[in-house]
């Protein structure tokens, strides 16, 4: 049994289902991201965990104790809200002390732990301020410190970085990650930002329409997406409409490829743009390589890579080339190659 | 640009209106306060403080003031105790009927004060709803006096100021955010502790605002003390009316009116300062 066990959680609002069926096991000290599009039920899942709403079905267990119906204030979960939810009428110190005071800890001990908590998020010396006298990033860190000082059994972070600018967000990601690691806090991290999920977590649970579509390491999810949704949602991918020939091999852009097609139904071939390479049209290719030919529509320099759009017999595809390599000129006839194992066939969704 | 330049123009109609029906009569009142009353009871034009000094030297004025303050205080306290939980509920409910419920809560505002008093007489009178019920239950043998005394006036006043206080509370609850209460609970505070540590402090400015308003309205109320008091309840408002009409003693009425106005202004300023200080 894992440290945190969610089994068959469901939450309905009237006729609509916010969370359909979520089961998840998290080990002690592990950090798991809940990644998914807006409205897929991430916040609802977290709120059920924190006891702020009651699930209609399913159970929650922490450390082998069922807490499904336990009142929120008895759960000892550290919840960092998306909006920070700092108490405007209390100073930063009192905000951080709030949970400790509720636990009946002595004054001196509280003062010491608050100091420690603020130092942890590098806010020493700002304890006397009011929340609104802080920047967004500082408020964020106060919220984090407030949740951390109570030594939560599980830390719940709800898109807690989405209000910050790109640079601060990056810094905060690393800060939270290192705090989480050094304190060994079991963490659930809600986000719809993939980079955040990839950099902050040991495992990622990709959610879609109230269910977990796939759970695994970043590599699992990225390299071996279980469903079409995961392949589309995580990372970029070319979805290339393909057909099958009599031998059951994939036919793409009019040429047969050494990739097995799914047995029936219309399907697309998913290929990551970074896995594709552009070579001159005349260059021959080996057996396990997929090769299509086309004409360069345009090349766009995007900073860390160059994006090349190629048009061929069956449509368009995008190739990401590392910047520094010379991009082919527009209108050039080229071949695009990738390894057969990088092709992922997924059935088209029923219309 | 044009907006700010047009603004004074837009204020003109309201300005003229206020000037005509409020500022001008107040100035007349002020003028009257310096007049004197002759031995025959007729008003004598003068510029003296005689009326004022005599009025304030009279022990009855002090008594009236204390009566007014005490009545307003208890009416406000009762109204607040009832309207605070109600407003909190209205503010937070997700019910589809929220709008309707809010309208119902402030509906009494639309009913004439006189009609409302008769309603209370039907409920609180010797043969009213309450006494009939208590008697038929055998809890009391003779009807208890609930109207034409302080009790009746307090109940009637509390009811009449409630809609205004509910509106003030609803408007003042701005800072109250349910996420904050959730944060408090997630940090280990029970619902009761959460109310005490988060909800109440954050709604304090609204409470002060509403209480200030209720108090001022009670102080200036005339119909309720007059009709529900049955001639036994004397407050500043009733006395001013008495002096101005029955006694046709305009100077005394004017002095008392200005005195009351001063008291109210003072109260408003204090409650505003308090509310602002709390918000900080
Ligand atoms: N109190 C509620 N009443 C009715 N429907 C709700 C309520 N809370 C959430 N929902 C619905 O449940 C679904 C899931 O909501 P949830 O807030 O969990 O999404 P989310 O994954 O956190 O999305 P986002 O990334 O936009 O925050 C949504 O369709 C939402 O409209
Ligand atoms: Mg959400």
């Amino acid at each position: 049994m894992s440290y945190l066990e969610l089994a068959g959680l469901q939450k309905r609002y009237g006729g609509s289902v916010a969370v359909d069926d979520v089961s998840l096991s998290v080990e002690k000290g592990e950090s798991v991201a809940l990644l998914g599009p807006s409205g897929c039920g991430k916040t609802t899942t977290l709120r059920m965990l924190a006891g702020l709403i009651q699930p209609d079905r399913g159970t929650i267990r922490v450390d082998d104790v069922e807490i499904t119906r336990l009142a929120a204030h008895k759960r000892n979960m550290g919840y960092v809200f998306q909006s920070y939810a700092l108490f405007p009428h209390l100073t930063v110190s009192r905000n951080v002390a709030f949970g400790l005071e509720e636990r009946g800890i002595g004054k001196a001990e509280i003062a010491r732990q608050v100091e420690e908590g603020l130092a942890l998020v590098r806010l020493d010396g700002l304890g006397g301020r009011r929340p609104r006298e802080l920047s967004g990033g500082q408020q964020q860190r106060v919220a984090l410190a407030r949740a951390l000082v109570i030594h939560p059994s599980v830390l719940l972070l709800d898109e807690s970085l989405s209000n910050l600018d790109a640079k601060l967000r990056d810094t905060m990601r690393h800060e939270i990650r290192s705090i989480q690691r050094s304190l060994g806090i079991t963490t659930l991290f809600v986000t719809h930002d993939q980079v955040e999920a990839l950099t902050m977590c040991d495992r990622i649970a990709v959610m879609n329409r109230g269910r977990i579509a796939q759970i695994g390491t970043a590599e699992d999810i990225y390299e071996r997406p279980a469903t079409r949704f995961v392949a589309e949602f995580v990372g970029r991918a070319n979805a290339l409409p393909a057909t099958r020939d009599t031998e059951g091999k994939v036919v793409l852009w009019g040429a047969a490829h050494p990739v097995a097609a799914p047995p029936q139904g219309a399907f697309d071939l998913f290929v990551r743009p970074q896995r594709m390479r552009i070579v001159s049209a005349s260059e021959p290719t080996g057996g396990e390589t997929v090769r299509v030919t086309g004409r360069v529509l345009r090349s766009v320099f995007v900073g860390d890579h160059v994006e090349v759009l190629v048009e061929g017999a069956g449509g368009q595809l995008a190739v990401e080339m590392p910047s520094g390599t010379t991009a082919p000129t527009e209108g050039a006839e080229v071949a695009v190659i990738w390894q057969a194992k990088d092709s992922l066939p997924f059935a088209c969704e029923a219309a | 640009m044009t907006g700010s330049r047009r603004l004074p123009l837009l204020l003109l109609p309201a300005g003229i209106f206020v000037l005509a029906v409020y500022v001008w009569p107040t100035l007349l009142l002020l003028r009257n306060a310096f007049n004197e009353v002759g031995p025959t009871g007729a008003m004598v034009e003068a510029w003296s403080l005689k009326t004022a000094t005599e009025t304030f030297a009279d022990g009855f004025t002090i008594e009236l003031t204390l009566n007014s303050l005490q009545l307003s205080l208890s009416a406000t306290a009762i109204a607040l105790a009832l309207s605070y939980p109600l407003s909190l509920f209205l503010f937070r409910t997700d019910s589809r009927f929220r709008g309707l419920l809010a309208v119902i809560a402030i509906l009494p505002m639309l009913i004439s004060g006189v009609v409302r008093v008769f309603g209370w007489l039907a409920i609180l009178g010797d043969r009213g709803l309450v006494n009939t019920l208590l008697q038929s239950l055998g809890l009391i043998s003779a009807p208890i006096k609930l109207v034409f005394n302080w009790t009746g006036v307090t109940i009637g006043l509390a009811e009449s100021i409630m809609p205004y206080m509910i509106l003030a509370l609803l408007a003042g609850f701005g800072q109250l955010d349910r996420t904050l209460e959730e944060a408090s609970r997630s940090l280990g505070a029970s619902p009761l502790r959460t109310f005490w540590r988060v909800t109440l402090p954050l709604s304090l400015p609204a409470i002060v605002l509403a209480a200030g308003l209720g108090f001022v309205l009670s102080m200036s109320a005339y119909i309720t003390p007059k009709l529900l008091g049955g001639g036994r309840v004397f407050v500043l408002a009733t006395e001013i009316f008495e002096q101005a009409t029955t006694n046709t003693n305009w100077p005394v009425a004017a002095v008392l009116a200005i005195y009351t106005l001063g008291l109210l202004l003072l109260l408003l300023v204090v409650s505003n300062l308090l509310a602002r200080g709390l918000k900080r």
Side-chain angles (χ1 to χ4, degrees):
Chain A
M1 203 117 228
S2 301
Y3 181 69
L4 173 65
E5 289 275 353
L6 311 185
L9 280 186
Q10 185 182 76
K11 180 70 191 176
R12 282 185 308 257
Y13 286 109
S16 70
V17 182
V19 168
D20 193 7
D21 178 9
V22 166
S23 300
L24 181 66
S25 304
V26 184
E27 299 302 328
K28 197 171 173 72
E30 194 184 18
S31 169
V32 172
L34 284 181
L35 177 67
S38 187
C40 72
K42 306 179 297 285
T43 300
T44 307
T45 305
L46 231 55
R47 289 168 60 80
M48 285 193 277
L49 259 164
L52 299 174
I53 49 174
Q54 289 290 314
D56 294 318
R57 214 189 291 158
T59 56
I60 304 166
R61 302 177 76 87
V62 173
D63 216 0
D64 249 352
V65 179
E66 178 167 346
I67 58 162
T68 319
R69 305 278 154 203
L70 195 67
H73 63 278
K74 294 178 182 155
R75 290 199 181 191
N76 198 35
M77 300 240 176
Y79 199 136
V80 181
F81 292 80
Q82 178 165 1
S83 54
Y84 314 142
L86 298 179
F87 304 120
H89 59 302
L90 300 178
T91 61
V92 166
S93 290
R94 290 295 306 281
N95 263 280
V96 178
F98 196 98
L100 298 170
E101 286 166 4
E102 288 305 318
R103 281 161 179 73
I105 298 171
K107 268 223 167 77
E109 178 63 14
I110 289 180
R112 197 187 59 75
Q113 291 196 27
V114 168
E115 195 107 325
E116 236 177 63
L118 285 176
L120 194 66
V121 294
R122 298 201 254 118
L123 280 180
D124 352 30
L126 294 187
R129 294 222 195 150
R130 286 297 169 94
R132 63 185 160 73
E133 295 165 348
L134 299 179
S135 73
Q138 290 169 331
Q139 292 183 27
Q140 160 80 60
R141 282 182 275 170
V142 176
L144 187 64
R146 186 176 69 175
L148 283 173
V149 289
I150 62 171
H151 298 291
S153 44
V154 182
L155 182 63
L156 306 168
L157 299 157
D158 191 356
E159 305 207 27
S160 309
L161 304 180
S162 54
N163 292 350
L164 309 182
D165 69 60
K167 192 139 193 288
L168 190 55
R169 200 181 314 164
D170 203 50
T171 320
M172 284 301 299
R173 272 180 200 147
H174 289 105
E175 266 178 41
I176 294 179
R177 181 65 168 146
S178 71
I179 290 171
Q180 184 264 331
R181 273 219 174 118
S182 62
L183 301 182
I185 301 173
T186 312
T187 305
L188 266 185
F189 192 102
V190 159
T191 178
H192 51 214
D193 182 330
Q194 313 174 18
V195 182
E196 212 156 274
L198 297 172
T199 52
M200 303 245 337
C201 300
D202 303 310
R203 281 192 303 153
I204 298 173
V206 183
M207 279 186 75
N208 187 28
R209 298 196 188 144
R211 287 165 175 270
I212 291 185
Q214 186 178 3
I215 177 155
T217 61
E219 213 186 326
D220 284 338
I221 303 242
Y222 193 75
E223 301 289 346
R224 295 173 286 281
T227 67
R228 185 188 174 98
F229 169 80
V230 176
E232 271 173 347
F233 189 74
V234 182
R236 295 186 56 209
N238 289 296
L240 309 170
T243 52
R244 73 178 66 72
D245 64 11
T246 46
E247 286 166 47
K249 294 281 187 205
V250 168
V251 177
L252 187 70
W253 290 16
H257 292 295
V259 178
Q264 62 202 13
F267 67 98
D268 294 329
L269 211 57
F270 277 71
V271 190
R272 303 278 182 209
Q274 308 87 334
R275 294 298 151 82
M276 296 174 155
R277 282 200 304 128
I278 291 182
V279 294
S280 70
S282 54
E283 192 172 312
T285 45
E288 285 304 289
T289 309
V290 177
R291 174 192 167 99
V292 293
T293 56
R295 197 166 46 83
V296 173
L297 269 185
R298 62 174 175 274
S299 305
V300 184
F301 180 73
V302 207
D304 53 353
H305 67 264
V306 181
E307 191 171 315
V308 183
L309 209 60
V310 177
E311 185 170 45
Q316 296 182 357
L317 56 76
V319 181
E320 276 184 22
M321 297 173 65
S323 61
T325 55
T326 34
T329 51
E330 287 180 17
E333 293 291 332
V334 293
V336 178
I337 59 169
W338 64 89
Q339 302 219 305
K341 68 172 172 59
D342 289 330
S343 294
L344 302 164
F346 285 108
C348 293
E349 269 157 10
Chain B
M1 280 302 279
T2 46
S4 63
R5 222 180 283 163
R6 258 188 228 146
L7 204 60
L9 216 63
L10 289 174
L11 288 175
L12 208 58
I16 291 174
F17 186 74
V18 167
L19 219 63
V21 308
Y22 191 75
V23 177
W24 179 241
T26 309
L27 288 176
L28 282 183
L29 203 65
L30 203 62
R31 175 66 193 92
N32 259 333
F34 292 101
N35 286 336
E36 287 175 18
V37 184
T40 57
M43 191 166 85
V44 180
E45 292 259 345
W47 277 107
S48 87
L49 289 172
K50 185 164 161 275
T51 312
T53 42
E54 275 177 11
T55 307
F56 289 121
D58 189 347
F60 191 49
T61 308
I62 308 292
E63 196 187 320
L64 286 174
T65 309
L66 291 179
N67 282 353
S68 273
L69 288 175
Q70 195 218 320
L71 181 67
S72 305
L73 202 65
S74 27
T76 307
I78 293 171
L80 189 65
L82 294 174
S83 49
Y84 180 66
L86 187 84
S87 311
L88 212 51
F89 169 79
L90 281 176
F91 184 72
R92 293 202 290 203
T93 181
D94 293 326
S95 164
R96 280 183 294 146
F97 303 113
R98 181 188 164 157
L100 187 69
L101 290 172
V103 169
I104 290 174
I106 58 173
L107 211 56
M109 240 164 76
L110 307 178
I111 299 169
S112 135
V114 178
V115 174
R116 204 160 31 198
V117 165
F118 284 118
W120 278 119
L121 288 178
I123 295 172
L124 300 176
D126 282 358
R127 295 211 203 121
L129 199 66
V130 175
N131 273 317
T132 317
L133 195 72
L134 290 178
Q135 270 176 313
S136 64
L137 288 175
L139 291 175
I140 50 172
S141 49
I144 36 175
K145 291 271 166 226
L146 292 174
V147 282
F148 305 137
N149 58 12
W150 284 97
T151 317
V153 176
T154 311
I155 294 174
L157 260 187
E159 187 261 350
S160 73
I161 59 175
M162 258 181 71
Y164 299 93
M165 291 178 68
I166 290 171
L167 280 182
L169 284 169
L170 286 177
F173 279 156
Q175 258 196 333
L176 214 56
D177 174 358
R178 193 181 302 189
T179 326
L180 293 176
E181 295 169 31
E182 291 180 347
S184 162
R185 282 200 287 145
S186 80
L187 287 167
S190 66
L192 202 68
R193 292 280 304 162
T194 297
F195 174 79
W196 183 243
R197 293 197 69 183
V198 179
T199 317
L200 190 61
L202 288 179
S203 53
L204 223 48
I207 290 177
V208 170
L209 198 74
L213 184 67
F215 198 89
V216 167
L217 287 173
S218 307
M219 285 285 284
S220 52
Y222 167 73
I223 293 173
T224 310
K226 178 75 188 168
L227 297 185
L228 276 177
R232 259 163 261 174
V233 172
F234 303 100
V235 291
L236 284 169
T238 53
E239 180 64 13
I240 293 169
F241 189 79
E242 213 63 25
Q243 291 289 356
T245 56
T246 319
N247 301 359
T248 50
N249 191 335
W250 281 92
V252 172
V255 167
L256 284 175
I258 285 164
Y259 168 60
T260 311
L261 190 68
L263 275 181
L264 294 184
L265 282 177
L266 190 73
L267 281 166
L268 271 183
V269 168
V270 168
S271 84
N272 260 341
L273 283 179
L274 208 59
R276 210 175 297 169
L278 287 170
K279 230 170 228 169
R280 203 157 289 153

